[in-house]
């Protein structure tokens, strides 16, 4: 890679802290880029919100003002998600979370998905609004465009595999804005 595209590590961060950021934040930036028209009235569902991608998504969407709901496995993980400003954190162990999602209201902004267990995708599809966006970053048990449109033709579906994108599109172009928001303290390295 051409070093002129590489930003300097923010001075306030250790190398260890800085190393937690590029992959997860760049993935979220690329996943949400087409959704940059998210409004403060939109609701976004972030699956596996206590993981690296989830925590990065919660931080990057907070300034947009849209309400996020996060799924996470156990009580301590749901507590971590709430510590990142999410009021509605539901269990991702089984499909009972769908009832919690439906009672919380529809998801007009969309879904950032990485869940693969049986019934998770179908359950999520039942809880999102018409014209919502569904961004799939998972690697296993994913729907293709044809199958997805057979279930929800009214929802935009994007399959994102950042590891297959050209390096320039993938990381180098997103690293400067990331370094800036890290330096300004708008986002934090992962715990």
């Amino acid at each position: 890679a051409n070093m002129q595209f590489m930003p300097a590590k923010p001075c306030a961060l250790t190398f260890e802290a800085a190393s937690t950021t590029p992959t997860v934040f760049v993935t979220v930036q690329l996943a949400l880029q087409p959704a940059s028209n998210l409004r403060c009235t939109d609701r976004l569902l972030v699956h596996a919100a206590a993981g690296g991608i989830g925590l990065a998504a919660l931080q990057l969407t907070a300034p947009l003002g849209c309400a996020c709901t996060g799924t996470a496995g156990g009580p301590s993980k749901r507590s971590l998600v709430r510590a990142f400003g999410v009021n509605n954190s539901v269990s991702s162990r089984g499909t009972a979370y769908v009832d919690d999602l439906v009672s919380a209201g529809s998801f007009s902004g969309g879904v950032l998905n990485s869940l693969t267990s049986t019934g998770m995708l179908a359950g999520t599809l039942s809880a999102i609004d018409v014209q919502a966006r569904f961004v799939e970053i998972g690697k296993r048990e994913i729907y293709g465009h044809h199958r997805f449109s057979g279930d929800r033709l009214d929802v935009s579906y994007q399959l994102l595999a950042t590891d297959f994108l050209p390096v320039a599109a993938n990381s180098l172009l997103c690293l400067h804005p990331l370094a800036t928001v890290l330096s300004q303290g708008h986002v934090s390295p992962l715990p």
Side-chain angles (χ1 to χ4, degrees):
N2 190 333
M3 292 306 289
Q4 73 183 14
F5 292 113
M6 298 298 291
K9 176 187 73 63
C11 296
L13 297 182
T14 64
F15 282 101
E16 292 80 8
S19 70
T20 69
T21 61
T23 303
V24 293
F25 280 94
V26 168
T27 298
V28 172
Q29 286 174 307
L30 293 172
L32 297 180
Q33 190 173 26
S36 59
N37 62 345
L38 284 172
R39 301 174 307 267
C40 61
T41 55
D42 285 337
R43 296 191 63 233
L44 184 68
L45 173 60
V46 179
H47 279 307
I53 296 289
L55 294 175
L58 298 178
Q59 291 186 69
L60 289 176
T61 57
L64 302 175
C66 58
C68 286
T69 292
T71 64
S76 62
K77 288 184 178 183
R78 290 192 297 278
S79 179
L80 174 63
V81 170
R82 285 189 294 277
F84 273 79
V86 174
N87 293 328
N88 193 16
S89 179
V90 298
S91 177
S92 59
R93 295 198 175 150
T95 56
Y97 75 93
V98 175
D99 293 334
D100 295 330
L101 296 180
V102 171
S103 68
S106 59
F107 293 87
S108 53
V111 178
L112 181 58
N113 186 62
S114 59
L115 296 182
T116 61
S117 300
T118 304
M120 297 293 189
L121 186 55
T124 299
L125 288 176
S126 71
I128 60 176
D129 265 359
V130 172
Q131 302 303 316
R133 290 187 60 249
F134 189 101
V135 181
E136 175 65 74
I137 62 168
K139 299 290 186 190
R140 300 178 356 193
E141 300 176 32
I142 57 175
Y143 281 20
H145 286 280
H146 182 70
R147 180 170 180 199
F148 191 93
S149 64
D151 285 353
R152 287 295 302 266
L153 188 58
D154 60 331
V155 171
S156 170
Y157 179 70
Q158 177 187 2
L159 179 58
L160 179 64
T162 56
D163 48 339
F164 289 104
L165 294 175
V167 172
N170 175 330
S171 58
L172 296 180
L173 298 178
C174 294
L175 288 176
H176 283 280
L178 174 59
T180 299
V181 294
L182 281 164
S183 294
Q184 296 170 344
H186 296 302
V187 298
S188 303
L190 300 181

